[in-house]
Amino acid sequence: MMREMQERGHLVQFLLGDFTTRVGDPTGRSGGRVPPSREDMDRYAEAFIRQVGRVLVTDDPEVFEVRRNSEWWDRMGVGDFLGLAGCLTPTRLLARDMFRARTEAGGEIRLDEMLYPVLQGWDSVELGSDLTIVGSDQLFNESMGRLFQEKRGMRPQVIVTTRITMGLGGLAKQSKSLGNYVAMDDGPREMFGKAMSLSDDLVRDWLEVYTDVPPGRIAELCGPGGAPRRAKLELARALVARWRGEEAARAEADWFESTFSRRRFPADAPSVEAAPGPIAALDLAAILSPGSTRASLRLLIAQGGFSVDGERIDGPALILELEEGVKRQVRMGRRGFYAVVPRLTGTSSG
């Protein structure tokens, strides 16, 4: 939507909430949160700008500018802020459904969280916003912007809300902290694989929101008689094609079909060297996935997610024999494939 506005000559103001992030938007949360450090916020900001550059025109100041709300909040005095807060009543703020649910569950609401809509609403005044495009969960906060603009004699902004999609597990909206999302920075294989792990009942939503697949085709794929796996394959291809190109989408579809439908071990699996000899399954898994905890690897093996040469390994303590020069095909989880090459390292002298 923002890109279309740019192509029509409108200025997109990309607001980094470096001040409000210190408070944290309570939307969608049942409890309080730990605010990120300033270093984390700077890192997030760099990532946001890099990613948005894949969609928006970011090198033309006529249609794009980056603002930070610390520009005005860091210099606003207490008296001015209390004047803004005086425009609202606690009853109106506490009417938010997430606050009500938290209270009914016996949870606490911090005052800074309750005042968050005041902060976000005033941003619209400082920006002189005439249109804001946000997720539907931000409607309450942005409505505060309309209220403040009207009180300042400004024309209140138009609010366009977009659909919020549930994350991969189907239990919560996509969130970096929950790890249930597909990122624009994901590689084509990871993006394709994540899409294929989506719950069947969410495929239609994702096709409608994240792809250019025509509505008639979506109805055919997801309507009565449609095959969920076929719909998911089309979603995965469409996502990769949109972000990585048609050639990458075809390659990943072929790889997926070969690996999962025809159960062929992928020829491009990364090669990993290991010392020949006996080794416990858990120790081998730790070599292949050094960033994982041993507890998580132990659970993976216990759940049947670790196999060697097509045979599932039943326990983390099972001893495997690695023969020098004999390649072993190892699979970890749904998408982890490794060609383990037992090889002696170093030299010896007699």
Side-chain angles (χ1 to χ4, degrees), residues 94-146:
L94 289 171
R96 299 194 70 183
D97 52 357
M98 76 284 296
F99 287 156
R100 190 166 56 250
R102 197 188 298 181
T103 301
E104 290 172 356
E108 294 183 342
I109 303 170
R110 298 199 317 266
L111 183 59
D112 57 353
E113 291 182 302
M114 193 167 69
L115 292 174
Y116 187 93
V118 177
L119 303 178
Q120 186 168 330
W122 187 252
D123 288 345
S124 298
V125 174
E126 293 285 349
L127 293 173
S129 170
D130 54 9
L131 168 68
T132 184
I133 303 173
V134 292
S136 56
D137 58 346
Q138 296 297 315
L139 179 59
F140 184 93
N141 292 351
E142 291 299 333
S143 296
M144 294 297 101
R146 287 177 55 88

Side-chain angles (χ1 to χ4, degrees), residues 293-307:
T293 65
R294 294 181 76 85
S296 65
L297 294 174
R298 194 175 283 110
L299 179 62
L300 176 72
I301 296 172
Q303 292 177 338
F306 189 80
S307 64

Side-chain angles (χ1 to χ4, degrees), residues 23-299:
V23 178
D25 181 6
T27 302
R29 295 200 311 272
S30 58
R33 42 89 81 176
V34 178
S37 67
R38 187 175 292 273
E39 292 75 17
D40 284 340
M41 287 190 288
D42 288 341
R43 190 171 67 254
Y44 297 156
E46 291 176 3
F48 291 153
I49 295 171
R50 184 185 71 251
Q51 291 178 63
V52 79
R54 302 186 63 182
V55 181
L56 300 180
V57 176
T58 58
D59 57 357
D60 183 353
E62 294 293 320
V63 295
F64 183 80
E65 71 174 359
V66 176
R67 302 289 299 275
R68 296 173 181 259
N69 62 10
S70 59
E71 294 173 28
W72 45 90
W73 285 116
D74 278 348
R75 56 178 166 77
M76 181 173 287
V78 175
D80 291 333
F81 179 74
L82 290 177
L84 296 180
C87 296
L88 302 170
T89 65
T91 302
R92 178 166 184 172
L93 293 174
L94 289 171
R96 299 194 70 183
D97 52 357
M98 76 284 296
F99 287 156
R100 190 166 56 250
R102 197 188 298 181
T103 301
E104 290 172 356
E108 294 183 342
I109 303 170
R110 298 199 317 266
L111 183 59
D112 57 353
E113 291 182 302
M114 193 167 69
L115 292 174
Y116 187 93
V118 177
L119 303 178
Q120 186 168 330
W122 187 252
D123 288 345
S124 298
V125 174
E126 293 285 349
L127 293 173
S129 170
D130 54 9
L131 168 68
T132 184
I133 303 173
V134 292
S136 56
D137 58 346
Q138 296 297 315
L139 179 59
F140 184 93
N141 292 351
E142 291 299 333
S143 296
M144 294 297 101
R146 287 177 55 88
L147 182 148
F148 288 135
Q149 287 175 323
E150 288 178 328
K151 288 185 177 296
R152 289 294 295 263
M154 302 169 64
R155 183 178 180 178
Q157 64 187 359
V158 173
I159 304 173
V160 175
T161 60
T162 59
R163 196 187 324 177
I164 298 296
T165 57
M166 300 299 283
L168 296 174
L171 301 177
K173 68 180 182 179
Q174 291 189 80
S175 164
K176 186 172 184 179
S177 60
L178 296 177
N180 63 343
Y181 68 106
V182 176
M184 289 189 290
D185 280 349
D186 282 343
R189 184 150 304 168
E190 186 175 12
M191 186 176 289
F192 198 102
K194 284 182 177 179
M196 291 301 298
S197 71
L198 187 68
S199 300
D200 291 350
D201 59 330
L202 297 178
V203 175
R204 183 170 198 143
D205 266 359
W206 279 52
L207 279 167
E208 291 174 345
V209 173
Y210 298 120
T211 77
D212 294 323
V213 176
R217 176 60 176 163
I218 295 176
E220 177 187 340
L221 289 167
C222 303
R229 188 175 184 279
R230 186 176 61 170
K232 216 176 293 187
L233 278 169
E234 190 143 343
L235 168 66
R237 285 194 59 150
L239 285 178
V240 175
R242 187 170 199 177
W243 295 104
R244 298 294 180 174
E246 288 288 349
E247 185 176 346
R250 284 193 297 271
E252 291 309 319
D254 290 344
W255 184 90
F256 189 89
E257 286 292 326
S258 174
T259 303
F260 293 98
S261 296
R262 295 189 288 274
R263 300 189 180 279
R264 295 175 181 168
F265 192 81
D268 60 351
S271 182
V272 179
E273 291 188 1
I279 185 172
L282 180 60
D283 293 332
L284 178 58
I287 292 174
L288 300 177
S289 184
S292 301
T293 65
R294 294 181 76 85
S296 65
L297 294 174
R298 194 175 283 110
L299 179 62

